[in-house]
Amino acid sequence: MRNVLLASAGMFALSAFAPAMAADMAARAPYVKAPPPAAIYNWTGFYIGGFGGYASEDSGNPKMEGGFGGGTIGYNWQAGNIVYGLEVDAAGGDIDASASALGITARSKIDSLGTVRGRLGFAVDKVLFYGTGGYAWANNELSVTALGVTASQSNFHSGWTVGAGIEAFIAPQWSIKGEYLYRSLGGETYFGIPSGDINLHTVQFGVNYHFGGPIVAKY
């Protein structure tokens, strides 16, 4: 009889505490797995790429104009949102103009050009806005044709360039860019006659591959 009374008392006590235990378990939030860390982009590191563009002479009649394409190599450093770096590019071109008079045709053609430039910009995560400037060069050939005979001379022109652009990551290691450059190249002597400066407006678009993947985890 005593055992029956003890069992009944135990069941009564358990039934009294059960609602409180159930309420406490229901109040606890379910376990949710923490999301993976977000990622921010860091522009520091080497990159290589290709580009193509169009050039038009600033003045002259006729003006030299045409397309070009080539490759790029560079390195960026990032401090906060500030990105600075050095970039070298070279391209083959078909930028020319010709004029004829009295049976004589003169043609000027830039067949290659390039720059060595510094870049300074402001990064907003995947997007970089930058200014750029430095050394510019081009190889130009002047040819004169008369009575079916052509004489030509090539010269290497050096000068400076300045411009601006925007670059954006489209994948962890790939970016695309567009930029405008003004190139001012000093004159040279052709057939004993000094030439004027060659001043070009150029617009170019490119794609770059960044080594190492410019991603840093952000917790």
Side-chain angles (χ1 to χ4, degrees):
M1 184 67 180
R2 186 178 64 180
N3 291 338
V4 172
L5 290 175
L6 290 174
S8 298
M11 291 294 293
F12 177 78
L14 181 61
S15 64
F17 283 106
M21 292 173 63
D24 181 63
M25 291 177 65
R28 294 181 181 180
Y31 173 76
V32 178
K33 184 179 179 180
I40 60 173
Y41 277 72
N42 188 292
W43 291 79
T44 299
F46 282 104
Y47 60 91
I48 61 172
F51 67 94
Y54 184 81
S56 178
E57 199 172 7
D58 182 52
S59 61
N61 186 22
K63 295 180 180 180
M64 285 197 295
E65 56 185 353
F68 59 89
T72 301
I73 184 170
Y75 191 90
N76 289 320
W77 294 267
Q78 182 167 352
N81 291 99
I82 303 302
V83 177
Y84 54 98
L86 180 66
E87 182 172 285
V88 179
D89 64 43
D94 187 13
I95 306 164
D96 69 342
S98 61
S100 298
L102 301 175
I104 301 174
T105 299
R107 183 186 186 214
S108 183
K109 177 185 177 182
I110 293 175
D111 57 20
S112 59
L113 69 167
T115 66
V116 180
R117 294 178 281 125
R119 298 202 309 173
L120 178 63
F122 186 84
V124 183
D125 195 21
K126 298 181 182 180
V127 182
L128 175 65
F129 304 90
Y130 63 89
T132 182
Y135 171 75
W137 61 268
N139 189 72
N140 184 69
E141 179 184 70
L142 180 64
S143 61
V144 179
T145 302
L147 301 174
V149 178
T150 300
S152 63
Q153 183 178 347
S154 295
N155 274 318
F156 188 87
H157 294 252
S158 293
W160 54 270
T161 182
V162 65
I166 181 171
E167 186 172 358
F169 278 104
I170 57 172
Q173 292 175 277
W174 292 94
S175 66
I176 57 175
K177 70 175 182 180
E179 62 185 6
Y180 162 80
L181 294 177
Y182 180 80
R183 308 171 192 238
S184 182
L185 307 168
E188 294 292 336
T189 299
Y190 291 88
F191 306 112
I193 302 174
S195 72
D197 293 349
I198 300 175
N199 298 312
L200 299 172
H201 299 282
T202 62
V203 178
Q204 55 198 53
F205 300 92
V207 58
N208 290 328
Y209 177 83
H210 299 255
F211 290 94
I215 298 181
V216 178
K218 180 181 180 181
Y219 295 91

